[in-house]
Amino acid sequence: MGTTSAAATCDSAKPAQWRLKTTFWLDLALLVSVIVLQTAGFTGLVLHEWLGLAMVVMVVAHLLFSWSWIASLSRRMFAVQSARSRINYLLNLSLFAAVTAVIFSGILISQKAMPLLTGVKAAPDMDWRWDFVHNLSSDFVLMLSGFHLAMNWDWVLAAGEKLFRRVPGGAL
Amino acid sequence: MKVLRVFSRIILLSLAAAAFVGLTGLYARSARIPLLLPVEQAERQHRPSEPEVSQFPEFIGMFFFFLFWVGIGRVGLRLRLSPVPRSEKQPISLNLQRRRPGQAS
């Protein structure tokens, strides 16, 4: 009986471990992407644009993994909450807005990826209005991502500890 | 059922993103954009397509700039997940609670 129970517990812990591992590596990929995307000169325009488009998938996956947190906090948005929860929620909402803005403006000024995907030739002249929005929102993305990491710093450390050191009874 | 749930969440996210796209459009139409110098315009319009290794220091600089914002978040704004210092070995929840088979989530 005890063996069966232990095996069942072990089996049920596997998806959670997989989820933690996936979330951790996905978040790390997002972090590297955010920094790399700030340096279009280093990556070149082709990689910059394709990585920017790949970020759409990564951000959606990140949000889906965090859905329970988003849903519970959205439901309690107007209820009594700690200042920290409110700041965290507003910070994440701002980050989502900035990411949306940077991706949308990036699509509008795309010279390599979007013309290839849509078959529409890129405009010969840059739209400076959207270029300005793209640069401004990407600055915000970098800053807000930094704050987002700062907010979740302890989670990152605990997850890293769990994944790499495998301390029994450390993080739950 | 699970696919339907994920799909509905993606639709919700898309709606939220669409709202922000609308706001971004409003801002783009009304914002005063600073005039760029012709040199800057030429530089931005003709960015290299291929990666340039010589620009690697820019990436390192950006990494430290990112760390600066993390530091501001940690120290300046005191944005902490838990007020208990790590030295006190307070466990952090990673949502790994083991559920018994058949237990509702």
Side-chain angles (χ1 to χ4, degrees):
Chain A
M1 187 73 180
T3 315
T4 317
S5 167
T9 308
C10 188
D11 282 350
S12 64
K14 271 181 189 170
Q17 184 74 14
W18 172 87
R19 189 189 166 93
L20 177 69
K21 204 182 276 187
T22 311
T23 310
F24 184 83
W25 288 111
L26 175 70
D27 291 359
L28 191 69
L30 263 171
L31 169 73
V32 173
S33 300
V34 163
I35 300 170
V36 165
L37 282 166
Q38 296 289 325
T39 57
F42 170 57
T43 57
L45 211 51
V46 175
L47 190 63
H48 176 82
E49 291 188 9
W50 284 110
L51 190 60
L53 287 176
M55 253 193 79
V56 177
V57 180
M58 288 194 275
V59 167
V60 169
H62 177 80
L63 291 172
L64 288 176
F65 274 118
S66 318
W67 194 263
S68 55
W69 182 87
I70 296 169
S72 71
L73 223 69
S74 298
R75 275 195 291 268
R76 290 186 285 121
M77 184 58 188
F78 299 104
V80 181
Q81 282 186 58
S82 65
R84 191 195 172 281
S85 295
R86 283 180 194 275
I87 291 172
N88 198 12
Y89 191 83
L90 287 175
L91 174 73
N92 291 333
L93 196 66
S94 309
L95 182 55
F96 181 64
V99 167
T100 306
V102 80
I103 290 171
F104 179 65
S105 55
I107 286 171
L108 291 182
I109 59 169
S110 170
Q111 292 171 9
K112 304 285 177 188
M114 288 316 288
L116 196 74
L117 284 176
T118 58
V120 179
K121 212 176 173 188
D125 292 319
M126 173 71 83
D127 188 333
W128 297 111
R129 191 166 287 277
W130 284 109
D131 180 67
F132 169 72
V133 172
H134 188 67
N135 287 317
L136 185 70
S137 48
S138 73
D139 288 345
F140 273 110
V141 167
L142 189 77
M143 181 183 78
L144 294 170
S145 301
F147 290 165
H148 184 66
L149 179 62
M151 284 291 258
N152 298 291
W153 186 251
D154 289 343
W155 181 91
V156 175
L157 289 184
E161 218 165 66
K162 180 87 183 171
L163 288 175
F164 300 114
R165 288 194 194 164
R166 298 184 180 279
V167 179
L172 301 171
Chain B
M1 195 66 188
K2 201 174 179 181
V3 176
L4 199 72
R5 199 170 55 193
V6 170
F7 191 65
S8 64
R9 287 172 182 177
I10 291 174
I11 288 176
L12 265 176
L13 284 175
S14 306
L15 287 174
F20 285 128
V21 162
L23 289 174
T24 308
L26 282 177
Y27 173 74
R29 274 189 287 277
S30 62
R32 269 191 198 170
I33 58 164
L35 285 173
L36 291 174
L37 294 170
V39 181
E40 287 176 310
Q41 286 191 359
E43 188 191 328
R44 285 196 189 186
Q45 191 136 22
H46 303 289
R47 280 184 171 140
S49 298
E50 307 302 320
E52 290 199 356
V53 184
S54 61
Q55 299 284 322
F56 185 68
E58 191 190 347
F59 170 71
I60 297 294
M62 203 51 78
F63 176 72
F64 280 105
F65 192 44
F66 176 77
L67 286 185
F68 166 76
W69 288 122
V70 177
I72 293 284
R74 284 292 292 172
V75 181
L77 299 174
R78 297 275 178 197
L79 299 175
R80 291 181 179 188
L81 184 71
S82 163
V84 181
R86 281 185 64 77
S87 56
E88 291 178 20
K89 301 291 181 194
Q90 179 78 9
I92 304 294
S93 173
L94 296 172
N95 293 323
L96 284 176
Q97 291 96 339
R98 288 165 190 163
R99 294 190 190 108
R100 289 188 196 94
Q103 187 180 340
S105 56

